[in-house]
Amino acid sequence: MGGGAFILVLAVALAESVAPTERKCQLNGLWRNDQDSLMEISVLRDNGDFQGQYLTRVTLSGGCAQISPLRGAQQQLGEEGWPTFAFTVRWDKFSNATTAFVGQCFVDAGGKEMLSTMWLLREAVGSLEEDWKATRVGRNVFTRKRTTKGKILPNLSPLCEAVSSPAP
């Protein structure tokens, strides 16, 4: 094997063996999931607490979704660089439900960041007899959406007032 081919093989081998600590995952920023919903984590504190906004594209009522607040926490980054986290979203502006997400942030070999999550959605029901149907479970995968700096979700939110207001 020639010297150039050996160096190429060595470079490919080194690129494939990049440790997770060299590919850290950051939660802050704008994310899109497999349902086309958007999540923006705008504040990530040193202690792991974070907050942001969530714009769902899926609603229980089929009505117009509005931006909803989210709050959560991530485990402090260790040597792995791929944090676990949990957050809740309160859908109080258009629904009587709350969703709790748990997940982990990953970075693939190409540098693409991904949040793999499971969620529980709890909808209010009118009686204990209806409790059996009040909780749903699901999975979402979020990928980072590259954007310019600044809060972006208010610009992407549908105009619910314009849609829901009856014509005079």
Side-chain angles (χ1 to χ4, degrees), residues 35 37 55-66 91 94-95 121 123 136 158 160:
Q35 299 293 319
S37 296
L55 178 59
T56 185
R57 299 293 186 199
V58 181
T59 64
L60 294 173
S61 65
C64 186
Q66 297 182 19
W91 311 110
F94 63 93
S95 174
L121 180 144
E123 181 179 15
R136 300 172 190 198
C160 294

Side-chain angles (χ1 to χ4, degrees), residues 23 25 31 82-83 104-108 112-116:
R23 296 190 318 253
C25 196
W31 299 85
W82 294 353
Q104 186 170 2
C105 190
F106 294 99
V107 181
D108 69 13
K112 183 178 177 183
E113 294 170 292
M114 174 186 62
L115 306 178
S116 178

Side-chain angles (χ1 to χ4, degrees), residues 54-166:
Y54 198 103
L55 178 59
T56 185
R57 299 293 186 199
V58 181
T59 64
L60 294 173
S61 65
C64 186
Q66 297 182 19
I67 294 174
S68 299
L70 72 83
R71 294 196 185 281
Q74 75 170 10
Q75 289 295 92
Q76 294 299 328
L77 289 177
E79 293 180 16
E80 300 83 32
W82 294 353
T84 58
F85 57 87
F87 64 91
T88 58
V89 179
R90 191 179 72 231
W91 311 110
D92 62 346
K93 293 182 180 175
F94 63 93
S95 174
N96 60 351
T98 300
T99 303
F101 290 79
V102 295
Q104 186 170 2
C105 190
F106 294 99
V107 181
D108 69 13
K112 183 178 177 183
E113 294 170 292
M114 174 186 62
L115 306 178
S116 178
T117 66
M118 293 287 297
W119 52 262
L120 290 171
L121 180 144
R122 178 64 187 214
E123 181 179 15
V125 291
S127 68
L128 184 57
E129 289 77 25
E130 295 177 290
D131 186 56
W132 66 271
K133 66 179 183 177
T135 303
R136 300 172 190 198
V137 63
R139 180 175 189 273
N140 283 127
V141 175
F142 293 82
T143 54
R144 185 172 296 282
K145 182 171 172 28
R146 302 285 177 201
T147 64
T148 58
K149 295 273 186 191
K151 293 191 177 188
I152 203 81
L153 278 190
N155 298 331
L156 299 174
S157 181
L159 296 174
C160 294
E161 294 79 19
V163 173
S164 61
S165 298

